[in-house]
Amino acid sequence: MKLYFWGIGKGCRKALHNYIGTEEILGFIDNNPERTGQLFEGKKIYRFKDIKDCFDYIIVTVMNYVAIEYQFHQNKVDKDKVLFYFDGSQDEKKISTFFDSKSWKIDILEKRLEELETMAGIRLNNMGYEVADKIRRDGYRFPIIRSSEEAVNRIVNEKCSMIRFGDGEFEMMAGNDRVNFQKYDRDLGNRLKEVLQSENPDILIGIADNYGNLDLYSDEIADGIRGYMTEETRSRHISLLNLDEVYYNAYMFKCYYPYKDKSRTDERLELIKKIWSDRDIILIEGAQTRTGQGNDLFDNVKSIRRILCPTQNAYAKYEEILETAKALIKDELVLCVLGPAGKVLAYDLINYGHQVVDIGQIDMDYEWYRAGAGKKVPNPTKYVSQLPPAEVEDVNDKIYQSQIIALIVSTIDEDISK
């Protein structure tokens, strides 16, 4: 039997410790291309696509395996050839072929207890702020965050620009790494503070509506916010914000995934698409981001041109990106999808007289909506920053290729336009 284990982390070590099967494990699978060819426990690490046609059985030992399950579905893998070690609903008879079933149940129970302990802790830690938002206790002030509708109205009718700040930008300003596609850079952190505290009336500053009531969001998203918004984090945010200023909701370009009520996704999308309706647009994005490629997100624009930048650590090429953009932008609406570096770029381009809207990861949120899975799933032809690193395939799309007017790349992106 050609047997492989998927995963090389904590879950894999638990499964290996409990493995009693007689079959030899031929190797391990990991989506991160940087690990391909390395050894783990003396066995080679493969990409799934390298062995997908030559295996008899795969045991998935990743604790959060939803994205892998979807990957199997997309590749039409026979369910009988796969076992999910941390899925407590697996057939115990099948489990006992490879593992001691008693030890397996203990591993499942330990995982569930860890999840419950974490969830209970972050909910309790954040509860006071959520209650405070509902009753508006004296002595606690929240940032003023206006609606998506008001932001769109100002962008469309007053030709305002918008720059959004999320946890990655706040952590960068604090001197911490958080996003996996942009290393910490002190100069970038200082520039972000400059942008956040700008007093330009034509720039709408977006911040995530994370400070109080979280009823709009799904349990997964709300718990993620609770886990991040510690007392220290809140204090850091408030020290950078002006509580007398008006901000706008940075989540406005995520129309689907964060929300508990997903029935209003189309309504949210139609509101956002008014921003570029009947406009000539120029997209400044990561080379493997491919915003709108393969979907109808921009079906209401006049034209699209694209400046492609490094998928990771774009700030290292900042001056080249800025000079290229200044030379190529005409009268288009500029849509920026470039992480923390994109905030500074948007700010500088606005000061050169351009209208710029930082739209963030709207495309990936839209792809998840189209997939209809109700969860974050991988996309083989687009870089998904919110999932573990994975190889991004080339696309053979002549329309997309014809839209590229400049290519500023790093080593990871060198072959993306071929």
Side-chain angles (χ1 to χ4, degrees):
M1 177 186 289
K2 296 178 179 178
L3 172 67
Y4 295 84
F5 273 38
W6 190 316
I8 57 173
K10 176 182 175 182
C12 183
R13 295 188 186 281
K14 281 180 173 285
L16 286 173
H17 182 74
N18 188 26
Y19 183 67
I20 60 172
T22 58
E23 301 294 337
E24 179 185 2
I25 302 168
L26 298 184
F28 298 86
I29 305 169
D30 193 279
N31 272 331
N32 188 342
E34 294 182 2
R35 292 172 176 159
T36 302
Q38 296 181 10
L39 296 181
F40 177 76
E41 298 293 327
K43 303 288 184 178
K44 188 175 179 181
I45 299 174
Y46 298 86
R47 298 173 299 181
F48 175 63
K49 73 177 187 179
D50 293 334
I51 59 96
K52 68 178 182 179
D53 296 320
C54 56
F55 71 89
D56 296 311
Y57 214 82
I58 292 177
I59 298 175
V60 178
T61 64
V62 178
M63 292 186 178
N64 297 314
Y65 52 82
V66 171
I68 296 171
E69 191 174 27
Y70 186 83
Q71 204 168 336
F72 285 145
H73 174 73
Q74 291 295 92
N75 286 277
K76 299 180 180 178
V77 173
D78 184 352
K79 293 181 179 180
D80 290 332
K81 299 173 71 174
V82 177
L83 185 150
F84 292 89
Y85 185 79
F86 286 98
D87 181 355
S89 66
Q90 297 286 281
D91 184 349
E92 188 171 345
K93 184 177 180 181
K94 184 186 291 187
I95 285 287
S96 63
T97 304
F98 302 99
F99 305 99
D100 176 75
S101 60
K102 182 178 179 180
S103 297
W104 168 69
K105 290 177 181 177
I106 292 173
D107 285 346
I108 294 288
L109 180 60
E110 286 179 349
K111 174 179 179 285
R112 289 177 178 172
L113 287 173
E114 288 175 5
E115 290 173 344
L116 286 171
E117 183 176 330
T118 300
M119 184 180 298
I122 61 178
R123 287 187 175 184
L124 286 171
N125 289 340
N126 205 66
M127 186 62 67
Y129 296 102
E130 295 179 47
V131 171
D133 189 26
K134 290 182 178 179
I135 66 176
R136 294 289 172 174
R137 292 178 180 172
D138 292 338
Y140 191 91
R141 295 182 65 193
F142 293 83
I144 303 167
I145 302 177
R146 296 283 172 80
S147 68
S148 301
E149 288 81 3
E150 184 172 339
V152 171
N153 181 63
R154 294 199 63 193
I155 292 169
V156 172
N157 298 321
E158 301 177 30
K159 295 298 183 285
C160 288
S161 295
M162 185 174 194
I163 304 174
R164 302 157 39 261
F165 285 75
D167 54 359
E169 286 71 44
F170 277 100
E171 292 303 305
M172 182 72 68
M173 288 184 282
N176 302 322
D177 273 319
R178 183 164 173 86
V179 293
N180 56 16
F181 53 86
Q182 177 63 65
K183 293 179 181 177
Y184 169 70
D185 184 289
R186 179 181 295 179
D187 182 65
L188 176 55
N190 290 334
R191 290 296 320 270
L192 287 169
K193 289 180 185 177
E194 177 188 352
V195 177
L196 178 65
Q197 295 169 354
S198 165
E199 296 182 358
N200 187 333
D202 293 327
I203 299 177
L204 311 183
I205 298 295
I207 60 175
D209 193 1
N210 291 344
Y211 300 94
N213 185 272
L214 304 175
D215 287 349
L216 288 176
Y217 308 129
S218 68
D219 288 344
E220 176 194 355
I221 295 298
D223 284 339
I225 294 170
R226 293 174 180 122
Y228 172 66
M229 294 298 290
T230 62
E231 188 79 36
E232 178 185 359
T233 300
R234 289 177 180 276
S235 297
R236 189 163 62 240
H237 282 215
I238 297 303
S239 72
L240 291 165
L241 298 172
N242 182 345
L243 298 184
D244 294 319
E245 289 290 332
V246 170
Y247 298 96
Y248 294 83
N249 191 357
Y251 285 140
M252 62 184 280
F253 293 101
K254 294 182 178 181
C255 301
Y256 168 68
Y257 192 78
Y259 296 102
K260 187 178 298 182
D261 180 7
K262 291 180 168 48
S263 67
R264 294 185 58 205
T265 300
D266 285 333
E267 178 185 335
R268 297 185 191 106
L269 279 166
E270 289 307 308
L271 173 67
I272 296 304
K273 289 175 72 172
K274 289 180 181 179
I275 291 173
W276 49 78
S277 179
D278 206 30
R279 295 288 300 271
D280 295 304
I281 67 171
I282 188 163
L283 271 161
I284 305 178
E285 62 177 348
Q288 295 179 330
T289 304
R290 297 169 180 152
T291 308
Q293 188 276 324
N295 61 48
D296 60 356
L297 193 59
F298 297 124
D299 63 350
N300 60 338
V301 304
K302 280 186 178 179
S303 67
I304 302 177
R305 300 197 300 160
R306 297 175 187 262
I307 297 174
L308 303 191
C309 307
T311 300
Q312 297 180 6
N313 300 313
Y315 198 66
K317 298 272 188 177
Y318 183 74
E319 293 302 326
E320 185 179 350
I321 295 169
L322 177 61
E323 292 306 312
T324 301
K326 284 163 55 180
L328 293 174
I329 298 170
K330 297 177 181 178
D331 298 321
E332 296 103 329
L333 168 67
V334 181
L335 302 180
C336 203
V337 191
L338 205 59
K343 321 300 179 182
V344 178
L345 179 67
Y347 181 70
D348 287 342
L349 290 175
I350 292 165
N351 287 331
Y352 280 108
H354 301 292
Q355 185 186 13
V356 186
V357 179
D358 164 28
I359 64 173
Q361 299 171 342
I362 185 174
D363 181 79
M364 192 47 55
D365 185 75
Y366 186 46
E367 290 286 1
W368 291 334
Y369 173 49
R370 294 175 72 227
K375 50 197 172 188
K376 298 177 181 178
V377 296
N379 188 306
T381 62
K382 296 184 178 184
Y383 178 75
V384 186
S385 64
Q386 295 184 42
L387 291 176
E391 187 171 2
V392 180
E393 299 174 6
D394 293 337
V395 294
N396 184 20
D397 182 337
K398 292 182 179 179
I399 295 177
Y400 167 75
Q401 297 292 343
S402 70
Q403 296 167 351
I404 301 171
I405 58 173
L407 188 61
I408 307 162
V409 298
S410 57
T411 304
I412 192 173
D413 303 306
E414 283 179 351
D415 297 324
I416 57 85
S417 63
K418 297 178 181 179

